[in-house]
Amino acid sequence: MAAAHDEDDHVGARRLSRREEIAWYSFAAVTYVAAGIIEKSLLNWIVGPLWLVAVVWGGPLLVDRVRGRR
Amino acid sequence: MSWAAHQFEVYAVQAHLPKKMRGKVSFWAIWLGDFTPDFLSKFWVYGITINGRRYGAGVPQQWHRGWPGMGFTHTLFAGLVIAGALWLWRRNRALTVGYLLGYAAHALTDVNDSVGTMLLFPFSTLNWTLETWAYAATKSGGKYLDAAAYYSSLGLVMDLFWMFVVLGSWRVLTREHWRTSVVPADPHVWSWLGRVMPERALLALYRATFFYGLCRMVAWSTWAHLFARPEIGGVTRRGYPFDFSWTGPGWLQARTLPHVSPYIVLPVTIALLAVAYWSASRLWEPMGRRDRTLAVDG
């Protein structure tokens, strides 16, 4: 399926710039480490990967919605 | 046992496949092969506590790595049997070879702790261990003591070693590698996920195991050395002390099982790793001729 914009992917979601990507991955890492130190049960192979996917998927969506970008 | 090393080695295997297999071995099969030994055995090692009563292995190291016990899950033999079953079921070399290499990586890495693995099972039930750091899963200490011991010893160095192996092959974590080498080897899985997930989420999913390994290493190390208040030798300390001596940390008694001389373990482990890669490489083309997925595609 053709993307609507060059920066859009196969489902029409916005691709992140390198800088945005670094910011979201860093945010995910810092929050997960902090949460994991406080609540060790979060440090497992299900929550850890899901944490990253949720932040990188949902974070930009939320920011775009707040800014009224999409 | 090893901690984040098992997450990092998934990418290390992916990055160091023989040239003819690059872009053709399933990442998810490597992942599943690497995780299977602990999926099958670890849940009972620490046990669970319900209403103040602990349910779990009486002797964790015997359950986890011994025979009788679930130690067979950490053997090359088990990896071969399951990979063989996968081949008979799916006739898919990307899946079979990936699974076998992931499984072998796990079983061979775990020879480093003081319990080790039964490398020659079922011909021998003796464990093979390098005694690099202490196996520290105990009934009373549970996961916390195990983590504290591991991240105070050469276990931490092992995790860092595997992390740097992956970072040394950093391209394995890039979008380009994911697009050109990972997706083509698992097209059905990624296209199924891609029906609902945007590309940035798919890429995050691919990188997520590395992320998890890195974060758990940092989190457990930080907790063990900055926040924990252990009592060692009757003295309450601020953080567990580091001890990078062989079979350390010395503040804890390393668990063990009957084993072979550690001096022969390293050469045998390297030889078995070489045999696993050599066998996979030699079988790659013959398996390709019988591969159902390739036959359909072709």
Side-chain angles (χ1 to χ4, degrees):
Chain A
M1 182 170 54
H5 307 284
D6 281 349
E7 68 269 28
D8 287 351
D9 66 12
H10 63 287
V11 292
R14 188 169 63 82
R15 285 201 175 91
L16 302 179
S17 67
R18 177 63 59 86
R19 191 176 287 185
E20 277 182 299
E21 198 170 63
I22 291 170
W24 283 113
Y25 276 76
S26 303
F27 177 74
V30 170
T31 53
Y32 183 55
V33 167
I37 291 171
I38 295 164
E39 180 50 60
K40 310 292 181 303
S41 65
L42 294 174
L43 296 171
N44 68 64
W45 65 273
I46 298 172
V47 174
L50 283 182
W51 191 287
L52 178 69
V53 173
V55 168
V56 172
W57 187 356
L61 269 180
L62 200 65
V63 169
D64 286 353
R65 188 158 294 183
V66 168
R67 287 181 175 172
R69 199 184 292 185
R70 286 282 171 106
Chain B
M1 60 189 77
S2 303
W3 284 55
H6 290 317
Q7 281 81 64
F8 298 142
E9 69 197 9
V10 171
Y11 299 88
V13 170
Q14 169 79 18
H16 295 94
L17 289 168
K19 204 169 183 176
K20 62 185 172 187
M21 295 186 198
R22 287 179 199 160
K24 295 173 183 168
V25 173
S26 162
F27 168 78
W28 290 115
I30 299 171
W31 182 91
L32 190 62
D34 201 290
F35 275 59
T36 299
D38 282 345
F39 278 156
L40 295 176
S41 61
K42 209 164 174 185
F43 66 97
W44 208 239
V45 171
Y46 302 124
I48 52 169
T49 302
I50 301 172
N51 292 331
R53 181 174 176 185
R54 177 186 177 273
Y55 298 88
V59 183
Q61 68 272 24
Q62 180 68 41
W63 164 268
H64 192 194
R65 304 279 186 73
W67 182 264
M70 291 294 280
F72 70 89
T73 60
H74 283 65
T75 65
L76 294 175
F77 176 74
L80 277 170
V81 168
I82 301 173
L86 275 176
W87 172 250
L88 291 175
W89 177 40
R90 304 298 297 177
R91 297 276 179 194
N92 181 332
R93 66 176 177 175
L95 183 67
T96 306
V97 170
Y99 187 88
L100 183 63
L101 292 178
Y103 208 107
H106 189 119
L108 294 175
T109 302
D110 275 351
V111 301
N112 279 283
D113 65 43
S114 59
V115 172
T117 59
M118 297 184 289
L119 280 188
L120 298 188
F121 182 88
F123 306 107
S124 164
T125 54
L126 280 177
N127 281 49
W128 293 63
T129 166
L130 282 165
E131 301 181 323
T132 314
W133 59 82
Y135 182 102
T138 61
K139 277 173 71 175
S140 56
K143 193 171 193 174
Y144 283 43
L145 183 63
D146 192 17
Y150 184 80
Y151 284 115
S152 301
S153 70
L154 289 171
L156 173 60
V157 177
M158 187 64 162
D159 276 9
L160 290 170
F161 166 77
W162 280 108
M163 185 187 77
F164 284 115
V165 168
V166 178
L167 293 180
S169 318
W170 56 272
R171 283 188 179 82
V172 79
L173 295 171
T174 62
R175 185 192 309 255
E176 182 67 17
H177 179 86
W178 173 72
R179 275 185 183 159
T180 58
S181 296
V182 176
V183 174
D186 270 322
H188 302 299
V189 175
W190 291 108
S191 66
W192 183 76
L193 291 169
R195 283 196 275 178
V196 288
M197 295 170 77
E199 188 189 79
R200 65 171 185 267
L202 296 172
L203 186 57
L205 185 63
Y206 167 63
R207 292 167 172 161
T209 301
F210 182 85
F211 168 87
Y212 167 55
L214 179 65
C215 289
R216 78 190 297 219
M217 180 176 73
V218 173
W220 280 113
S221 299
T222 305
W223 165 77
H225 300 292
L226 294 182
F227 294 102
R229 295 288 178 271
E231 191 177 305
I232 298 174
V235 179
T236 302
R237 300 181 58 105
R238 194 182 176 86
Y240 286 89
F242 284 106
D243 178 0
F244 294 116
S245 63
W246 207 256
T247 325
W251 44 262
L252 172 137
Q253 189 188 350
R255 268 54 183 176
T256 187
L257 289 173
H259 57 81
V260 301
S261 167
Y263 294 105
I264 63 168
V265 174
L266 186 60
V268 170
T269 302
I270 292 171
L272 287 173
L273 181 64
V275 167
Y277 265 81
W278 180 82
S279 306
S281 184
R282 285 301 296 261
L283 289 171
W284 186 249
E285 277 89 11
M287 289 172 87
R289 289 193 284 276
R290 292 171 175 270
D291 193 317
R292 280 186 196 145
T293 57
L294 294 181
V296 169
D297 293 344

